[in-house]
Amino acid sequence: MKLVCRVNSEDTYSVEGSELLNFFEKTQIHYSLFNIGDLRRLYKLNNFFNLSALDLYYLSLAVFFADRRKLRNKTRDAWTRSFEIYLPVLEFDKLESQRELIENTISYLSGDNWTLHFRRRELSNKEKRIKKGVERARTKWTPKFISMMSGGLDSYIGAIDLLEKESEVIFVSHYGGGKGVKDYQDLVKSNLINSYEIDDSNFFSFHMAALDGTEDSTRSRSFMFFMHALIIASQIENNVEILIPENGLISLNIPFTNSRLGSNSTRTTHPFYLSSLNNIISNLDLKITFRNPYQFKTKGLMVYECSNQTLLKSTITSTMSCSHPDQGRYQGISKPIHCGTCLPCIIRRASILKGYGTDPTEYLDSNFTGDKASFTLRSLKTGILDFENSKDFAFLKISNSGNLNGYQKLYTNTYTEGMTEVKYLLDQYAG
């Protein structure tokens, strides 16, 4: 797939045989970063966006748009696709110097082949108006951290742990078309506002959707999500750390079986991906770092060690971990609900069981009674059996998903402890 992107309506660049993405038209793509409500918040930060960060932001929108547009099941192996993105950029020389690294990083994240073609552009009229708005704003704020907030259990624990020691924080959320995502993000936000000395101004919630996209795997979503945080961080004068709270087991992206139960999950915080992303950002002279503070902790340990147990235990059902929370509609359930059998649900259930012994979360099928759920249970048990039989070589398995750049022992321990949590849960069910 070839995709030509245009930021300005005056741009006439074209490539034969390509699709066209006009960022200034809402018939193809919707993103809320430049909406009035979001701009008022952005104006309170120190500076206009770093131009390289703005380039990466538009690139992430283009990548996500293309990802949604091309179906994996139409390819030869029903998975790997090839993309060419033609993007106008403000910092051509800098982006071009990092082009190969950016291509490889996105390719690793999505499992596809990406080729990027940059060309020069100037600030659009809208961007110029935003720049003036930032420069005119009198109230300025310099937060110390930015933390990603999905509405899930991991990011909720991350927010609690952070707010127990620091209030100068920006939380960044994104919601697309998924049912219930925004509702759970709002629940989490409300819990945090009621429990800590923060208010609505600490939360930035963005919407982005490819309006005609039908591919559901969307592995590139995290790149787009992260770039929303990056562009905010680029407005802050001090060095900024962007925290991505995710448990170490899911972060390693290790398939549970030879089926794609594991490989279908994203590589959002895999150490290799974060390392590559940080290299790109550093090489573009941005003083910003992405970090997963729970890289060496299982989800169960995150629950058990959360620094405000009273708050977490009483509000844990305010979080959504399921990969398809709208599945209940087939059974006449209108509200979003955890399915109980997808991999994120399994790891959630195992973690709450470890942390609290009982789980108050409502699940659609907690006992694996459905045909698909029964198959999933058998597959997971096969994966657990494989894990048990190959514990001594666990370090080899975790290395297969990407270069770990050291810390082999810590990653191996996290993997074995996480799998042991899952095993304890699954051992309670026959299958």
Side-chain angles (χ1 to χ4, degrees), residues 321-334:
S321 304
C322 187
S323 58
H324 33 72
D326 58 345
Q327 201 176 65
R329 71 183 186 275
Y330 298 114
Q331 299 182 26
I333 300 174
S334 59

Side-chain angles (χ1 to χ4, degrees), residues 287-314:
K287 297 177 181 180
I288 300 167
T289 305
F290 285 94
R291 181 172 69 88
N292 177 9
Y294 303 101
Q295 188 68 69
F296 302 115
K297 288 190 178 184
T298 67
K299 199 182 191 86
L301 202 56
M302 289 176 67
V303 171
Y304 184 75
E305 294 183 347
C306 179
S307 52
N308 188 335
Q309 285 293 325
T310 301
L311 175 60
L312 180 62
K313 195 167 186 178
S314 64

